[in-house]
Every structure is written in C-alpha cells, then in structure tokens.
Amino acid sequence: ARREAKRRGYDPDVVWDLFIYLLIGGIIGARVWHILTPSPSTGVTTAWYLSHPLDALAVWKGGLGIPGAVIGGLIALYFYSRRTGVNFAEWTDIGAPGLALGQAIGRWGNFVNQELYGAPTSLPWKIFIAPEKRLAGYLDVEYYHPLFLYEALWNLMNMLLLLWISRRFAGSLKHGDIFLTYLVVYPLGRFLLDFLRLDASLVGGININQTIMAVVAVCAGLALYLRHRKV
C-alpha cells in the first residue's frame, strides 16, 4: 500500500496513519460477521452469542469473517477520509492489492489450524486432516481438498491482476475502479470455492456467504460497466 500511495504521488506515511484505524475497524467487522454467520461446525449460534456477550467479545477463541473485515475497514476508511480530506475512492484502490495479498497470507492460518478444508478427495495434492479436526460424518475420511491453498492462490492472482490493471489502464481508470475489480474477482473465486466447503454458514437454509459473494460480484461488475459505458 505504501508503494501504491507513493506511485500515485501521496505521502506513503499516510498508510501507517491509516493502518490502526483499518485494523480496529477490520477486526470489529470480522467478529460481527462471524457472530451473525457462524459455521455449523463451531456448535455456536448467533442467538448464543447475543445472549453471552462476553463470548461474543472473545476474539482469541477464534471466529473472524473476511467479508466483515472488508466492510469494517471501509467504514473506518470513510471516517478517516472525512476527517483528513483524503479521497475515499482512490484510497480503496491503493489498499486493494495489499488486501488481496493479506488474504493470501492469512489463509495459511487455516492450514496451520487444519480448518476450512474442502470436500474429501484423492487428488495428488490432497491434504491429511487429523481425526480430531474432522467434521462429524467424516471421521473415517483422511484426505481433503486444500481449500485454503486454492483461495490463497486465487487471492495472489487477484493482487497481481489489480496491480497490472492499475498500470496498464491508468489513463482510463476512475477512482474506485481497482477496488470494484477486487469486488468482482475475490467474490467470484469465493463463490466457486464454496461449493467445496463442508461447513458453510447457513441462514434460512442457504449458504449465506456464497449468496452474498454472488450478489457483490454482480453489483460490482454492473457498477464498473455503468461507469465506463459509452452513452
């Protein structure tokens, strides 16, 4: 993000000023998202969290959702831009490639914790999941899709794509276009990969994260089209 800010003519130290706000906003948003859409495998429901506020605050026990982190970060950036006068839309563009890279790195935490793995598979790149980490109904299944790796690679590709677009089409881009592109590419990958996920968060019987990802990708794509269509 510092490199992107400097390339666009901004003081790169602004990134460090903004970082603490994004961190706080992102953690709060990520926790709220988890509380509202907990995975069935956790055995904890939204109603439980609402009736046990101390557990709702226990971030150290796990439970953070990237969609909420992005929303929380955007809210923090909005208020920061109002206070300092920086261009909100342009700074979403500055932060988007770094956000994608951060997601790629963060997914390796799922590998370390042996969580959020995909459906059973016999493919050569399958990963072994310890018995105590397996979901109910899969206790006798040893190997699964490395869903964390698929998403990490997708996010890394997203970062490279955003950096390329920001340079290749610099003359025709509008402020916010890079972030809107992020909102097309990441949700599209997440939507497709969720078909492999075993412990999807269900609300009203539907995979809420997958559904929201589809809506966000379509809306962001439509916004890009409307911004650049020739009248």
Side-chain angles (χ1 to χ4, degrees), residues 104-118:
I105 295 170
R107 278 303 174 196
W108 285 86
N110 300 139
F111 170 70
V112 173
N113 293 334
Q114 291 201 329
E115 61 189 6
L116 300 182
Y117 44 86

Side-chain angles (χ1 to χ4, degrees), residues 47-81:
W48 168 268
Y49 280 124
L50 295 179
S51 59
H52 297 77
L54 292 181
D55 283 344
L57 295 174
V59 179
W60 54 90
K61 292 183 179 180
L64 298 170
I66 185 61
V70 175
I71 294 171
L74 285 174
I75 293 173
L77 175 58
Y78 172 77
F79 284 108
Y80 181 87
S81 67

Side-chain angles (χ1 to χ4, degrees), residues 66 103 107 147-158 161 181-197 207 209-218:
I66 185 61
Q103 289 177 253
R107 278 303 174 196
L147 200 57
F148 82 94
L149 178 61
Y150 299 162
E151 188 169 330
L153 292 174
W154 183 266
N155 285 318
L156 185 61
M157 180 277 296
N158 192 12
L161 176 66
T181 303
Y182 164 87
L183 290 180
V184 173
V185 178
Y186 170 66
L188 175 61
R190 177 67 181 268
F191 174 82
L192 296 174
L193 291 175
D194 256 35
F195 284 111
L196 292 174
R197 188 164 176 172
N207 183 331
N209 283 312
Q210 188 179 44
T211 302
I212 290 176
M213 290 298 106
V215 171
V216 169
V218 170

